[in-house]
Amino acid sequence: MIFDSHAHYDDEAFKNDLEEVIDKIKRAGVNRVLNCGADLKSCITTTELTHKYDFIYGAVGIHPHSADEVFNNINKIGDMLQNEKIQAVGEIGLDYYYDTHDRNLQIKAFKEQMDLAKQLDFPVVIHDRDAHEDTLKVIKEFKGVKGVLHCYSGSLEFAKEILKEDYYLGFTGVVTFKNAKKAIEVVQHIPLDKILIETDCPYMAPVPHRGERNDSSYLLHVADKIAQIKGIGYDEVCKATYENASTLFRL
């Protein structure tokens, strides 16, 4: 029983063997996948995937790298949210890692989509890279919206602030890396009922597959690492994270 709470199976990396990958992850015990859009094109392909595969659900939204797409397409995103298998607005948020993306534009696009989620009563999937302070400000501005900070990369102190807003934290294969001290500390100290597991595939493959194309079958390594960190059973982690994601995404 595994719920991959963040994947990109419409990515070009899967164009030649998606059917084989789908069969592989089903055999690995993956019961649910949330495929996340990042621009208008991938929102459309995400919706198509949800129609084709019964265990794949979707999130539609515009990533901060494509923030300029938001303003002319916000109504299209709202229309996509009417699809019965679209469960969230995402992936949205802020990314300050690169200097080439206008921060004010990102914030405006983020707020526009948070407002859509609030109006239509949908949870959100948030991308936050090197933008912790501004991300928290926006989250606090939109009280009542629930969601997850996917691929969590912040400190324990920041995690505690996010949990006060009743959000979840998503963990990828990064938690298995030797230099993942911050992620391990956060997993160790936050409640299990606030943790989701995810691939962010085709990226972020865990040890012992680091550097390979990631897929949901590798989540067993993430769940096993979290079990080790918290000193609990692997099955307990899988069950809890499955229930957490199902609760957030109303499945």
Side-chain angles (χ1 to χ4, degrees):
M1 180 178 282
I2 295 173
F3 195 140
D4 184 350
S5 64
H6 195 112
H8 298 283
Y9 282 112
D10 57 320
D11 190 276
E12 285 290 303
F14 297 105
K15 69 178 181 179
N16 294 323
D17 63 345
L18 181 59
E19 292 299 327
E20 290 86 349
V21 173
I22 293 295
D23 182 61
K24 176 189 178 187
I25 66 178
K26 280 187 171 181
R27 285 187 282 108
V30 178
N31 306 86
R32 287 175 174 166
V33 172
L34 189 80
N35 205 82
C36 298
D39 53 25
L40 188 63
K41 180 182 177 181
S42 63
C43 289
I44 294 169
T45 51
T46 288
T47 302
E48 291 170 350
L49 280 179
T50 70
H51 291 155
K52 188 171 183 179
Y53 301 104
D54 60 352
F55 75 115
I56 294 183
Y57 299 85
V60 292
I62 307 297
H63 187 283
H65 287 175
S66 300
D68 57 345
E69 288 190 9
V70 170
F71 310 104
N72 290 331
N73 294 302
I74 194 70
N75 290 336
K76 291 179 182 177
I77 297 168
D79 290 342
M80 291 180 197
L81 289 166
Q82 305 310 309
N83 185 297
E84 64 179 2
K85 290 190 71 186
I86 301 299
Q87 307 301 131
V89 177
E91 98 186 65
I92 65 177
L94 302 173
D95 192 321
Y96 293 172
Y97 183 76
Y98 301 101
D99 292 332
T100 53
H101 296 88
D102 186 291
R103 294 186 179 188
N104 290 328
L105 181 67
Q106 288 188 46
I107 292 170
K108 185 178 178 183
F110 185 17
K111 288 183 177 182
E112 186 92 353
Q113 294 179 97
M114 287 289 282
D115 187 56
L116 180 68
K118 186 167 186 175
Q119 288 182 45
L120 299 181
D121 190 26
F122 273 82
V124 293
V125 178
I126 294 179
H127 173 103
D128 163 31
R129 190 177 188 189
D130 293 350
H132 305 322
E133 183 178 349
D134 284 347
T135 297
L136 183 59
K137 285 180 181 177
V138 174
I139 286 173
K140 287 184 173 182
E141 184 176 334
F142 290 89
K143 295 288 186 182
V145 177
K146 304 303 178 189
V148 56
L149 258 65
H150 105 92
C151 194
Y152 185 75
S153 60
S155 66
L156 177 58
E157 291 72 26
F158 181 59
K160 289 177 179 178
E161 292 301 311
I162 294 298
L163 295 187
K164 288 178 184 176
E165 304 303 316
D166 203 21
Y167 272 61
Y168 294 81
L169 304 181
F171 293 91
T172 65
V174 170
V175 77
T176 68
F177 297 173
K178 287 183 179 179
N179 61 347
K181 293 180 180 179
K182 280 200 300 183
I184 290 171
E185 181 185 27
V186 174
V187 168
Q188 186 175 9
H189 288 95
I190 69 170
L192 182 60
D193 64 7
K194 286 298 180 184
I195 292 176
L196 305 186
I197 57 174
E198 56 169 279
T199 53
D200 199 18
C201 66
Y203 315 105
M204 304 291 185
V207 174
H209 301 285
R210 188 173 183 179
E212 299 176 17
R213 182 187 67 177
N214 200 7
D215 68 59
S216 304
S217 69
Y218 294 164
L219 273 179
L220 65 94
H221 300 292
V222 177
D224 185 58
K225 182 64 176 183
I226 290 173
Q228 292 176 34
I229 293 168
K230 298 191 82 64
I232 58 179
Y234 167 83
D235 289 342
E236 185 178 351
V237 172
C238 290
K239 182 175 185 292
T241 55
Y242 186 94
E243 290 176 352
N244 295 343
S246 297
T247 297
L248 175 61
F249 300 121
R250 301 169 184 173
L251 293 169

